[in-house]
């Protein structure tokens, strides 16, 4: 383990406002400049350095007010170590959980990142990737964002369903997800099932609804169009699910279960059902989708189809960094499929007789 030398000279330099150099910091610690640089810049190679040594390096850097010159590093290596992330919005739910996985991996690997939200505006979806490239990002991650043009730099799309040159799509097995939910409800005796579809602009809406239709047909469940509602508007609050469910109730069509597009809309649906005098799950069972952090703490706790959202974010970041490190002409994965999981909680029960 390194033993720091007397820091009197360095502290005098700090007090006088002089910049502490990497060489001086390394000599103070009795370590090589390469080792100190790996830790300070959070480079992948730092993993080979003992954690205790890493802590000593960072502690000394804080005490001596050492700041790495990222601009000089970028110019020297012709790298920015910066990633661009494009999301529809920053709010509780889908995007936040994906972002947590992206952040964890990029921070671990020593990358900086920009996050932009386009609010489903077509002109921003087209403009933001170009603006991020002008800021020298080395790669892009698009979350629930439709990418139409060929990518000029490595790009990974979470919930991307289009085959676009230069893009790796990370997608859920929606057929399996729909089957898990529908089998769960039919085993509980439900045949009259209402559905809430996602907004038109959501990347997953079309493929998920098609998967639900196929699963229902395979199980002999007839879908009544009057028992199908669709989320409208850009709000990410439960109010959209609340409004759709009010319309489903007002239609007069009886249903004993409801399968919502996501957990947020399921939470709104439960409120609307309660206001109509329906008890959950005695009168109506409710299934969500995503398994956001608050799903387990609803009353009743929400049964849902879990997307491994945080893991999808980490996988997106890992895949992107591998593509950045690879030669430009190297092959890259076009699609990576992840698996869902049914999480049974208290919002579903046997169909009423």
């Amino acid at each position: 383990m390194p033993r720091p030398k007397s820091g009197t000279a360095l502290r005098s330099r700090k007090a006088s406002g002089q910049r502490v150099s990497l060489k001086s910091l390394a000599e103070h610690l009795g370590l090589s400049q390469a080792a100190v640089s790996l830790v300070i810049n959070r480079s992948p190679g730092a993993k080979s350095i003992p954690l205790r040594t890493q802590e000593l390096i960072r502690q000394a850097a804080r005490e001596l007010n050492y700041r790495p010159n990222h601009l000089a590093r970028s110019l020297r290596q012709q790298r920015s170590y910066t990633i661009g992330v494009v999301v529809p919005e920053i709010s509780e739910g889908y995007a936040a959980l994906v972002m947590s996985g992206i952040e964890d991996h990029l921070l671990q690997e020593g990358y900086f990142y920009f996050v932009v939200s386009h609010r489903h505006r077509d002109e921003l979806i087209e403009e933001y990737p170009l603006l991020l490239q002008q800021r020298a990002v080395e790669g892009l991650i698009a979350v629930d964002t439709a990418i139409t043009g060929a990518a000029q730099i490595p790009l990974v799309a979470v919930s991307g369903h289009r085959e676009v040159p230069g893009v790796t799509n990370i997608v859920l097995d929606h057929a399996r997800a729909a089957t898990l939910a529908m089998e769960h409800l039919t085993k509980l005796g439900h045949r009259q099932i209402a559905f809430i579809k996602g907004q038109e602009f959501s990347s997953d809406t079309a493929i998920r609804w098609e998967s639900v239709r196929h699963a229902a047909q395979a199980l002999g469940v007839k879908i009544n169009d009057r028992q199908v509602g669709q989320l409208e508007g850009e709000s990410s609050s439960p109010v959209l699910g609340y409004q759709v469910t009010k319309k489903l109730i007002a239609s007069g069509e009886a249903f004993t279960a409801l399968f919502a597009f996501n957990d947020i809309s399921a939470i709104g649906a439960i409120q609307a059902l309660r206001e109509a005098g329906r008890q959950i799950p005695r009168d109506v069972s409710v299934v969500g989708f995503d398994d956001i952090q608050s799903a387990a703490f609803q009353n009743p706790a929400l049964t849902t189809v879990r997307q491994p959202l945080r893991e999808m974010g980490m996988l997106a970041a890992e895949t992107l960094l591998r593509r950045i490190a690879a030669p430009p002409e190297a092959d890259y994965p076009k699609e990576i499929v992840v698996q869902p999981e049914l999480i049974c909680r208290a919002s579903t029960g046997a169909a009423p007789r």
Side-chain angles (χ1 to χ4, degrees):
M1 184 180 297
R3 294 190 177 185
K5 301 175 183 178
S6 172
T8 303
L10 286 180
R11 290 189 176 88
S12 298
R13 186 178 299 179
K14 173 189 174 184
S16 64
Q18 293 181 346
R19 188 182 183 90
V20 176
S21 68
L22 176 67
K23 180 180 179 182
S24 299
L25 179 62
E27 289 176 349
H28 168 71
L29 289 164
L31 294 167
S32 69
Q33 291 185 52
V36 174
S37 177
L38 287 174
V39 174
I40 293 297
N41 290 306
R42 297 182 178 274
S43 299
K47 295 175 184 177
S48 63
I49 298 173
L51 290 176
R52 177 57 180 156
T53 301
Q54 293 185 43
E55 292 170 2
L56 286 173
I57 292 171
R58 294 193 183 100
Q59 180 181 348
R62 286 193 297 270
E63 290 176 352
L64 300 172
N65 200 27
Y66 172 76
R67 294 289 183 270
N69 190 330
H70 291 294
L71 178 59
R73 178 196 182 204
S74 296
L75 292 172
R76 185 172 61 254
Q77 299 183 6
Q78 295 188 325
R79 298 279 309 275
S80 68
Y81 294 93
T82 304
I83 300 300
V85 184
V86 183
V87 299
E89 60 188 343
I90 301 173
S91 60
E92 184 199 8
Y94 181 96
L97 285 171
V98 174
M99 274 302 306
S100 70
I102 293 172
E103 290 173 342
D104 284 350
H105 190 72
L106 293 181
L107 288 171
Q108 176 183 314
E109 297 300 325
Y111 277 74
F112 185 73
Y113 56 92
F114 296 116
V115 181
V116 294
S117 57
H118 52 71
R119 296 287 180 170
H120 308 288
R121 291 169 54 183
D122 291 338
E123 71 274 17
L124 295 182
I125 293 174
E126 182 178 350
E127 182 181 351
Y128 277 160
L130 300 176
L131 290 176
L132 288 167
Q133 289 178 64
Q134 291 172 11
R135 284 158 176 75
V137 299
E138 296 187 45
L140 291 169
I141 298 175
V143 180
D144 191 18
T145 300
I147 300 297
T148 56
Q152 304 302 312
I153 58 176
L155 192 155
V156 176
V158 179
S159 293
H161 301 289
R162 302 180 182 182
E163 291 187 13
V164 179
V167 176
T168 297
N169 290 321
I170 295 179
V171 298
L172 184 75
D173 185 341
H174 283 277
R176 177 63 179 156
T179 298
L180 286 172
M182 294 301 293
E183 283 185 344
H184 174 64
L185 291 174
T186 55
K187 286 178 181 177
L188 290 171
H190 297 282
R191 309 300 293 182
Q192 295 176 302
I193 303 173
F195 301 90
I196 297 179
K197 298 165 58 177
Q199 293 100 323
E200 289 285 353
F201 53 69
S202 175
S203 300
D204 282 338
T205 294
I207 188 171
R208 189 173 304 165
W209 179 239
E210 188 68 14
S211 298
V212 168
R213 288 178 62 251
H214 283 304
Q217 184 178 18
L219 293 165
V221 175
K222 185 177 180 180
I223 295 178
N224 181 347
D225 290 340
R226 288 173 58 83
Q227 294 174 330
V228 179
Q230 183 157 22
L231 300 175
E232 297 178 0
E234 297 182 7
S235 171
S236 59
S237 81
V239 68
L240 299 187
Y242 173 85
Q243 292 170 344
V244 172
T245 307
K246 294 278 280 188
K247 292 179 182 178
L248 290 172
I249 295 168
S251 73
E253 296 290 327
F255 55 91
T256 64
L258 185 148
F259 184 14
F261 178 70
N262 54 28
D263 292 341
I264 297 293
S265 59
I267 292 167
I270 288 174
Q271 180 62 29
L273 289 165
R274 280 184 172 147
E275 289 182 6
R278 314 284 178 85
Q279 293 188 29
I280 314 297
R282 191 190 72 179
D283 300 320
V284 180
S285 289
V286 177
V287 177
F289 205 104
D290 288 339
D291 195 27
I292 62 174
Q293 291 177 326
S294 62
F297 301 96
Q298 298 301 314
N299 183 21
L302 186 63
T303 293
T304 185
V305 178
R306 173 183 289 166
Q307 290 198 77
L309 296 174
R310 185 175 177 278
E311 291 78 2
M312 289 166 74
M314 293 187 69
L315 181 58
E318 291 171 2
T319 302
L320 184 63
L321 297 194
R322 281 198 299 269
R323 287 190 56 188
I324 290 171
E329 66 280 2
D331 289 335
Y332 62 91
K334 305 299 189 294
E335 183 178 82
I336 301 172
V337 180
V338 298
Q339 294 300 314
E341 179 184 2
L342 179 68
I343 306 299
C344 295
R345 298 194 178 104
S347 67
T348 51
R353 295 180 180 180

